[in-house]
Amino acid sequence: MIRRALVALTLVASAGGLTACGSDDSSGDATDLATKTINITISGDSVTPNGDRVDVKVNQPVELVVKADAEGEIHVHSTPEHELEYGVGTTTLPAFKLDKPGIVVVESHALEKTIVQLEVK
């Protein structure tokens, strides 16, 4: 009888430990992540940054602020893809989130340049 009680107690304690581990994995609540702002300058056929890697977290909001001398479009190769238009001057594009780890390329097709590579972790 005592042995059964000890086994039962061990199982309950183990289950509680598993529950705590599961909770820790989900503690990265997306609402706690600060927006990652990436400043982009486009002048003629020159782009800054130019292919740099930028670290972002899964579900972290990413905001692109584009200062450009001509209108254009930025393409984010994610799932779903984002095609974001900007105007002359400074344009803050709508924030987006990336829900899978990996490398996401952000580019200008018109300029045929990679602006940044988002390394989603």
Side-chain angles (χ1 to χ4, degrees):
M1 183 78 148
I2 293 175
R3 188 173 197 184
R4 283 186 184 165
L6 287 174
V7 170
L9 184 59
T10 301
L11 289 174
V12 169
S14 296
L18 291 174
T19 302
C21 287
S23 295
D24 288 345
D25 289 344
S26 64
S27 64
D29 186 3
T31 58
D32 293 341
L33 297 173
T35 299
K36 174 71 101 180
T37 300
I38 301 171
N39 294 306
I40 300 168
T41 302
I42 300 174
S43 179
D45 64 353
S46 174
V47 178
T48 304
N50 189 3
D52 297 352
R53 281 239 171 133
V54 177
D55 291 337
V56 297
K57 293 182 169 78
V58 170
N59 290 320
Q60 179 177 20
V62 177
E63 178 181 76
L64 305 176
V65 178
V66 182
K67 182 178 179 185
D69 60 0
E71 294 178 343
E73 182 177 270
I74 289 178
H75 193 190
V76 181
H77 289 277
S78 61
T79 304
E81 294 189 354
H82 301 280
E83 294 177 354
L84 307 166
E85 295 181 7
Y86 58 86
V88 175
T90 302
T91 306
T92 301
L93 301 173
F96 57 89
K97 296 179 183 180
L98 304 166
D99 63 356
K100 295 179 184 120
I103 303 293
V104 174
V105 175
V106 177
E107 65 184 358
S108 166
H109 287 288
L111 298 176
E112 297 182 5
K113 299 206 183 231
T114 297
I115 299 168
V116 292
Q117 299 175 58
L118 302 174
E119 188 165 359
V120 185
K121 299 178 181 179

